Amino acid sequence: MLLLVSTFTLSVGATTTSDAAISTLAIEHVETPSVNRTWSDISLIYQDEWHDPAEVDEEIELIHNTVPELVDIEVIGESYQGRNITCIRITNELNTEQKAKTQVVAHHHAREQITVELSLRFIIHLLNNYGDDETITEYVNTQEIYVIPTLNPDGLERVVNEEDYWLRKNLRPYDDDGDGRFDEDPWDDADGDSYVSGFDVYTKTGPGGEPEFQYTYYEGIDDDADGFFNEDYIGLVDLNRNYATGWGSGSSSSDVRSQIYHGPTAFSEPETQAYRDWVSQHKFAMVYALHSGINATYFPTNYYDNWYESTLYYRVVQDFAAMYPMGFNDFYDVTAQTSNGQYDKPQLASAPSGMWGAWMYVERGTTLPITFEVYHNGSSDNPSTYVDIVDNSTHLIQEWHEIFSYFTPDDAYIEDLWQYYIPAFDYLLEMTPRLAATLGVASNAIQEGEEMSLSVSINCLSPRLSTEDGIELRGGDGTLLHLWSVLDGGESHILPITITLPVDLNETGYILRLGNEYSGYTQFLLTSIPSDASPDLLLPAIVIVTLVAVVIVVYYVKLYSKTH
Ligand SMILES: [Ca+2]
Ligand SMILES: [Ca+2]
Ligand SMILES: [Ca+2]
Ligand SMILES: [Ca+2]
Ligand SMILES: [Zn+2]
């Protein structure tokens, strides 16, 4: 019903009346029509199988070609090996005004390829529901939804095509053993069972003979025949320890062989540089970074181990709990038969530690960056999956080959997992703060320099998140005319404002923009209506404007009350 307004347009500066003084002011809420849906439901080319980076590109190209009206692609940079890091934007492109923005960034970590699959399905979910589902259509019309399916395409290539399910980090080469050669002796599947086993070594020489963990070694061969096994594995930097906030501290490591090696400096890697440079051009209130492998949802914390926004985060946790009363792990607990029946997702990180979330909060002003873990296999680290291969008076060595299922489900379950998470992705769009705004005229003014009194009505449509920054009223040329304070989630205000008209409305229309970079902007067009305009047209037009304004307010009041 919002779109009704766009079905008529008042004449802009079309008056030729000789008596401007009796013209009246008209305000048009500049609305964008919905895109006519011309496409049938889209399916993935590679359904139910893991995508390598080339296949991700293929899917993106097909999606873009099928729905160019809603889809834009931007290559934000290149990985170490020169693969594209691509960002897909989904929005109604008929509206070129800046809208509210949100983002899903997947696949910091190579072996978490399930996150690539969910992000592709998220895109298709939006496109297949556009024009059919009123809520999704409204989200795509009023938001710019950015999706980065893989931040680590080199890692994806190796995990999917080389079946190296241990790889977490990026693929910058490193000479671990200082022999002048790089990555020359990785871990290998020596026995050809498709998995690289890990071997946990315990000694039993202590008091009481209880096994005491010493170290883990991995299956492999001496690839370079130097007498050492697996001494130079591939992969170097943990991209989720390479951000600047808390870099080099907390839960990160300066050991190049560590899975949480933070890199030589913050933003040392081409992947994190590309992300940093892209994200710095935008403001986001709430975003997801997708991960897998642990039963947790991370909200960013400061150095004192407290959530940055404890009240907001607590409420969001309650929302997640309401959506998933048995916890996010229902899906895989059912398939793995290890249900614990508890909602135990939210966790504190010990410190920022160079991780994405704290950097997004501290440096990029994102109030709610959620590190969203989408898969954990409760059975894959069950004690029964460890096989004793040595158990004597001095040593216990246990083999574990569940690494594949630890971070990802069997590919037969990808679609089920996506279906399970749809509400959580819809929630991201529902929470993104955007405005419902109307503008009423309190005193008439037509000529340049005249004072014009307006009544601004605004409502923050996110039930939880505020507009982050104050609400701006800008002229079409960008001039800031007024700044109101931040609007809380769900809050509405009617605000009076008097401005000096900078143009003569008898000669030209005047655009007003209301909003901010987080919420996006709503445009209003001020025009004059000559007194001799056909009453047949004019009166119904004014009535329709008023009616639509009332309908919008009623609609959003209902929407608002529904979400509480
Ligand atoms: Ca080497
Ligand atoms: Ca093996
Ligand atoms: Ca070797
Ligand atoms: Ca090897
Ligand atoms: Zn991860």
Side-chain angles (χ1 to χ4, degrees), residues 28-39:
E28 180 193 348
H29 189 176
V30 182
E31 285 290 345
T32 310
S34 269
V35 167
N36 279 330
R37 183 163 167 172
T38 55
W39 60 94

Side-chain angles (χ1 to χ4, degrees), residues 109 112 168 291-292 373:
H109 293 141
E112 299 167 17
R168 169 180 168 97
H291 288 257
S292 67
E373 298 273 352

Side-chain angles (χ1 to χ4, degrees), residues 154-173:
D154 296 348
L156 187 64
E157 172 71 23
R158 183 167 172 91
V159 168
V160 172
N161 289 333
E162 313 269 322
E163 299 181 340
D164 179 353
Y165 304 122
W166 287 95
L167 182 66
R168 169 180 168 97
K169 303 189 286 181
N170 77 343
L171 280 195
R172 182 187 288 278

Side-chain angles (χ1 to χ4, degrees), residues 184-185 221-231:
E184 75 280 3
D185 195 346
I221 56 169
D222 178 12
D223 298 84
D224 60 333
D226 67 348
F228 300 101
F229 286 82
N230 297 351
E231 77 280 2

Side-chain angles (χ1 to χ4, degrees), residues 336-349:
Q337 288 98 42
T338 59
S339 175
N340 58 17
Q342 296 294 313
Y343 183 83
D344 57 353
K345 292 289 289 183
Q347 303 218 346
L348 296 171

Side-chain angles (χ1 to χ4, degrees), residues 264-279:
T265 60
F267 291 114
S268 56
E269 302 311 294
E271 294 88 359
T272 47
Q273 288 167 13
Y275 182 78
R276 173 199 62 194
D277 295 346
W278 169 76
V279 89

Side-chain angles (χ1 to χ4, degrees), residues 66 76 137 141 219 296 323 340 349 352 354 359 377 383 466 473 475 499 549 563:
T66 308
I76 65 168
T137 306
N141 281 339
E219 182 182 353
M323 271 187 280
N340 58 17
W359 182 78
N377 187 335
S466 78
L473 181 68
I499 61 169
T563 56

Side-chain angles (χ1 to χ4, degrees), residues 206-258:
E210 276 299 298
E212 203 177 339
F213 176 75
Q214 299 298 323
Y215 62 93
T216 301
Y217 70 91
Y218 300 90
E219 182 182 353
I221 56 169
D222 178 12
D223 298 84
D224 60 333
D226 67 348
F228 300 101
F229 286 82
N230 297 351
E231 77 280 2
D232 198 338
Y233 183 49
I234 51 92
L236 185 62
V237 178
D238 180 347
L239 298 178
N240 199 30
R241 297 296 185 278
N242 195 233
Y243 291 84
T245 304
W247 180 86
S249 68
S251 169
S252 69
S253 173
S254 56
D255 175 358
V256 294
R257 295 190 185 213
S258 166

